[in-house]
Amino acid sequence: MFGKFSLNKKGNSELPAVNPSELSRIPEHVAIIMDGNGRWAQRRGLPRIAGHREAMKTVKRITAEAQHLGVKVLTLYTFSTENWKRPKAEVDFLMKLPEQFLHSYLVELKKNNVQVQVMGDLSIIPEHTLLAVNQAISETKNNSGLILNFALNYGSYAELTQAIKRIAQDVLDRKLAIDAIDVQAVSARLLNPELPAPDLLIRTGGELRLSNFMLWQLAYTELYFTDVYWPDFAEEDLRQAIHSFSERQRRYGGLNGGGTK
Ligand code: FPP
């Protein structure tokens, strides 16, 4: 009936370690809701932004591990369309992170053949953030390794609304017949339509919700929740999530695991 999900209540340090050779299936596309930065910092008596700063180190480690394991696409929920509601100082800090991250890491990403992509509405992103992001996209566009896709000012409601508007416009312009509106027609009008749907979604930080993230694309995605705060999320935690994924049978609504994504 419903897709299986995992809740790792304890934290992965209490589970037996996973050796990469034990992973029988590697998800092509892993998407992550990187939650728990603020609580990680508050637990240490630090300001919330200290958690976001630490989070960048986790992004570096997890990108490297995903690449090492053979993941093809890693989508990271970096800033949502709802995150503008946070205090201005925190928003300003979050908008500096892509720049800081790329400043210290773009050389290595290039060396590792990583291709940077961005998914979201960039029209209201500050100029300095946009410059850094566009530079990374353009300098890595010919790379053929891991696609590192930053969801930046991303929200599914906005994404689906613009897809619906485009469909309506195409119908008005007689480029699309109403009967031709199907799953493919909608998917093709989403952001980054060339990317496959995520096979595995990980949410750190203990909350059990999707928070307006890739709602269409996650229709048949395997879900994995862990209490571990994002700054503490380690390579072993990623391997645990992929281990859980590799033990599941995906049936896509059928009986034997066949069907389409
Ligand atoms: C959610 O934690 C996290 C965010 C809103 C920001 C995510 C940003 C990063 C992980 C930084 C990495 C960025 C780049 C560009 C490499 P929260 O603040 O909601 O935590 P809480 O639930 O504990 O309050």
Side-chain angles (χ1 to χ4, degrees):
M1 273 246 294
F2 298 104
K4 262 202 229 165
F5 69 87
S6 280
L7 172 61
N8 182 357
K9 266 289 175 198
K10 294 192 168 131
N12 290 327
S13 55
E14 295 179 31
L15 298 168
V18 173
N19 190 311
S21 63
E22 288 170 45
L23 298 170
S24 54
R25 270 190 313 145
I26 300 293
E28 187 182 359
H29 184 172
V30 176
I32 309 185
I33 301 177
M34 308 179 288
D35 198 14
N37 299 345
R39 281 166 288 161
W40 180 92
Q42 278 161 352
R43 260 204 190 167
R44 287 161 176 76
L46 299 169
R48 291 176 53 81
I49 57 168
H52 297 315
R53 192 179 293 120
E54 194 66 21
M56 279 200 296
K57 297 183 193 160
T58 309
V59 171
K60 288 184 192 180
R61 285 191 279 102
I62 295 305
T63 301
E65 181 65 8
Q67 190 171 29
H68 171 68
L69 294 174
V71 171
K72 300 275 186 291
V73 185
L74 179 64
T75 295
L76 301 176
Y77 205 4
T78 310
F79 191 92
S80 79
T81 45
E82 286 70 37
N83 286 151
W84 299 105
K85 295 179 204 156
R86 294 188 176 206
K88 186 176 178 314
E90 185 170 341
V91 169
D92 288 348
F93 188 84
L94 286 170
M95 281 296 149
K96 284 194 190 117
L97 289 182
E99 237 173 306
Q100 280 183 22
F101 176 80
L102 293 166
H103 180 71
S104 67
Y105 197 44
L106 184 57
V107 171
E108 198 172 327
L109 291 175
K110 282 160 74 175
K111 201 173 75 198
N112 292 337
N113 198 24
V114 170
Q115 185 187 117
V116 175
Q117 292 194 13
V118 172
M119 178 174 78
D121 175 7
L122 301 185
S123 66
I124 52 168
I125 294 291
E127 185 71 17
H128 61 91
T129 315
L130 200 57
L131 274 172
V133 161
N134 282 338
Q135 184 195 351
I137 293 171
S138 109
E139 291 188 16
T140 63
K141 67 174 190 292
N142 295 321
N143 289 354
S144 55
L146 176 83
I147 294 176
L148 179 58
N149 182 33
F150 290 109
L152 185 59
N153 192 26
Y154 174 85
S156 287
Y157 290 155
E159 179 184 42
L160 286 164
T161 304
Q162 68 84 32
I164 291 164
K165 282 184 187 164
R166 284 193 200 172
I167 287 176
Q169 192 63 55
D170 286 348
V171 170
L172 276 177
D173 295 345
R174 299 186 184 278
K175 290 184 192 151
L176 184 67
I178 287 193
D179 286 347
I181 301 173
D182 56 10
V183 171
Q184 181 52 37
V186 177
S187 296
R189 288 164 179 81
L190 298 177
L191 302 166
N192 306 42
E194 70 292 346
L195 295 181
D199 302 290
L200 171 65
L201 171 86
I202 299 170
R203 180 172 187 143
T204 63
E207 308 288 0
L208 304 179
R209 55 177 169 259
L210 296 178
S211 300
N212 198 19
F213 187 53
M214 301 187 88
L215 299 182
W216 176 277
Q217 299 90 331
L218 293 179
Y220 276 103
T221 300
E222 298 294 331
L223 309 179
Y224 183 91
F225 297 95
T226 171
D227 279 351
V228 176
Y229 293 148
W230 177 250
D232 287 331
F233 191 76
E235 289 88 332
E236 173 61 20
D237 296 300
L238 179 66
R239 292 195 291 271
Q240 290 287 352
I242 293 180
H243 180 63
S244 168
F245 166 86
S246 69
E247 294 201 314
R248 300 186 199 177
Q249 196 197 3
R250 303 182 77 188
R251 291 191 292 276
Y252 300 101
L255 297 179
N256 301 314
T260 53
K261 257 196 222 175

